[in-house]
Amino acid sequence: MNLHGIYVPLVTPFAEDGTVALDTLERLARSVLAEGAAGVVALGTTGEPAMLSPDEKRQVVDVCARICRERGATLIVGAGGSDTRQSAAALAELAGVADVALVPVPPYVRPSDEGVLAHFAHLTERSPVPLLIYHIPYRTGQPLGAGILRQLALMRGVVGAKLATGSVDQDTVELLGDLPPGFAVLAGEDAFLAPLLALGAAGGILATAHLATARFVELLDDWDKADLEFARPLGHRLATLARAVFSEPNPAVVKAVLAAQGRIPTPAVRLPLLPASEAATARALDCLAALDG
């Protein structure tokens, strides 16, 4: 499976009464796909899945699946957690719905490297869809070295990894320097997209791409064509925007900007998240305006 491209992990928009604004979610999915996104992610961290009810999660996935089918786009669905059996059960529900499952390294329990490998081996044997490993050690408490990542990459049924390590570290460099065939690395830290593309990443899953989808797609195209004259300055501007967007806990600033643009009805997030401050929203809007300045 080819996971080359920019994927947008959709926010879950809320109406004034606090319910999920499904019509708005549909319009948002259509808009990012129209601007060139290769697909969308439903129930990624940006979508606040921990604060959604089971019914709300199903509704979100159903909307995204329908739009992706209509557009011929890739649907990635966030699934899995700390418990291997429950993760396998969640993956079973994606049969005929998702193209790929975004599955985190088991959070909170901090298994050994061998336990991580056993966890994913169990899931690949049972999952009806390919797995994209979500490596985000500052959330899971489970850093993985390049050797373990490569062993995971060689598992049948694993098609790639979303790397959100907070830096371009030595393990990332080693992994991208010797990728197994058919294994895609996607940037998971918005501000580090350009350096990861330079090292050979296939694209990214980027919350900031809600706000400038076409520009992120343009950056990927520039790197693919080795057009560094345009890629470097655009990469710097997009990184500046990403830093502004992530100056407060995600997805508060993304939602605030989308609401200011009239693309979602409210900037609301659910507790324990809090709405973005006016200062953070203003900074992000200024950075967005500067993209074309």
Side-chain angles (χ1 to χ4, degrees):
M1 179 170 198
N2 183 7
L3 282 177
H4 182 275
I6 300 298
Y7 299 85
V8 181
L10 292 174
V11 300
T12 301
F14 299 124
E16 293 288 352
D17 63 0
T19 60
V20 176
L22 294 174
D23 289 347
T24 300
L25 178 65
E26 178 175 338
R27 288 194 297 273
L28 198 58
R30 290 186 185 279
S31 70
V32 299
L33 293 175
E35 287 193 49
V40 300
V41 180
L43 306 183
T45 307
T46 304
E48 301 173 73
M51 285 77 88
L52 300 179
S53 71
D55 283 344
E56 289 173 330
K57 290 180 182 179
R58 281 190 290 271
Q59 291 170 346
V60 166
V61 171
D62 287 347
V63 167
C64 293
R66 175 167 52 82
I67 301 306
C68 285
R69 283 195 300 268
E70 291 175 5
R71 296 297 303 267
T74 298
L75 174 61
I76 302 172
V77 176
S82 299
D83 182 272
T84 303
R85 291 174 300 173
Q86 290 182 10
S87 296
L91 289 169
E93 296 180 4
L94 299 183
V97 178
D99 298 297
V100 181
L102 178 63
V103 182
V105 173
Y108 186 72
V109 294
R110 300 183 67 188
S112 64
D113 286 348
E114 291 75 14
V116 172
L117 292 171
H119 171 80
F120 280 104
H122 183 93
L123 297 184
T124 56
E125 290 171 0
R126 293 161 177 79
S127 176
V129 297
L131 304 188
L132 178 66
I133 293 168
Y134 189 7
H135 184 35
I136 182 165
Y138 56 80
R139 286 186 185 270
T140 65
Q142 186 73 37
L144 301 178
I148 296 299
L149 287 169
R150 188 167 290 109
Q151 289 183 63
L152 291 169
L154 291 171
M155 285 186 179
R156 184 177 180 182
V158 173
V159 293
K162 174 186 176 182
L163 296 187
T165 60
S167 66
V168 181
D169 59 17
Q170 184 62 37
D171 290 314
T172 301
V173 173
E174 289 182 19
L175 178 65
L176 281 162
D178 185 24
L179 283 179
F183 183 82
V185 168
L186 298 177
E189 295 281 352
D190 299 25
F192 291 100
L193 174 62
L196 286 178
L197 291 178
L199 289 168
I205 296 176
L206 310 165
T208 311
H210 282 87
L211 310 180
T213 311
R215 301 311 301 274
F216 278 98
V217 172
E218 179 185 345
L219 178 62
L220 177 57
D221 289 343
D222 286 343
W223 275 107
D224 287 343
K225 294 181 293 188
D227 194 346
L228 302 187
E229 179 183 357
F230 293 98
R232 282 180 176 144
L234 178 57
H236 285 302
R237 294 198 300 275
L238 289 173
T240 299
L241 172 62
R243 288 193 295 272
V245 164
F246 281 85
S247 64
E248 295 183 358
N250 187 50
V253 178
V254 170
K255 281 189 156 184
V257 174
L258 289 172
Q261 295 173 326
R263 296 174 64 192
I264 62 176
T266 74
V269 290
R270 287 182 176 171
L271 287 170
L273 295 174
L274 295 174
S277 67
E278 291 184 6
T281 305
R283 282 196 302 272
L285 286 166
D286 287 344
C287 292
L288 189 58
L291 274 179
D292 298 308

